[in-house]
Amino acid sequence: MFGVPVRGMIVIGVLGVAGVLYAVNGGKQMGSDKGAEICKVTVTADILNVRSGPGDMQPIVSTMPRDAVTDAQARVENGYRMLSDRRWVSQSFVALTSDSTCK
């Protein structure tokens, strides 16, 4: 077809579609918005208990010192914020970092 082998036409078509998708997505990689939300917290207590679940009766699995910064989730239950490793800390003793976009 038009002097171009079928395999070449397929490659040109795939590259064309990829280029259009790239342009439509504003030059960002497809799916890059998935991790766009930044959620980090700083410990404000002298020593913060890290628990296995969202409540003060849940077992303590570790502790964190004042000014420690860790990745967190936007999820808050019963006054406890979920950390990125699925552990929980009291929302009263952490503050979102200045570059966090979660609430």
Side-chain angles (χ1 to χ4, degrees):
M1 181 185 309
F2 306 114
V4 179
V6 173
R7 191 176 289 169
M9 292 295 286
I10 292 172
V11 170
I12 291 170
V14 168
L15 291 175
V17 169
V20 168
L21 291 174
Y22 181 82
V24 167
N25 200 36
K28 295 181 285 186
Q29 181 180 2
M30 295 300 290
S32 63
D33 288 340
K34 182 178 180 183
E37 184 172 73
I38 297 170
C39 196
K40 293 182 182 182
V41 293
T42 302
V43 175
T44 59
D46 288 335
I47 296 176
L48 178 64
N49 291 328
V50 180
R51 299 183 180 271
S52 63
D56 60 353
M57 298 303 287
Q58 297 295 321
I60 297 170
V61 294
S62 66
T63 59
M64 296 177 69
R66 178 182 292 277
D67 298 326
V69 176
T70 188
D71 292 330
Q73 301 290 323
R75 184 174 173 188
V76 176
E77 285 184 29
N78 302 326
Y80 282 76
R81 180 172 296 272
M82 181 188 274
L83 301 180
S84 60
D85 59 3
R86 302 189 59 82
R87 296 180 180 187
W88 298 80
V89 294
S90 175
Q91 180 73 8
S92 302
F93 302 111
V94 294
L96 292 171
T97 60
S98 60
D99 61 339
S100 289
T101 57
C102 68
K103 299 201 184 232

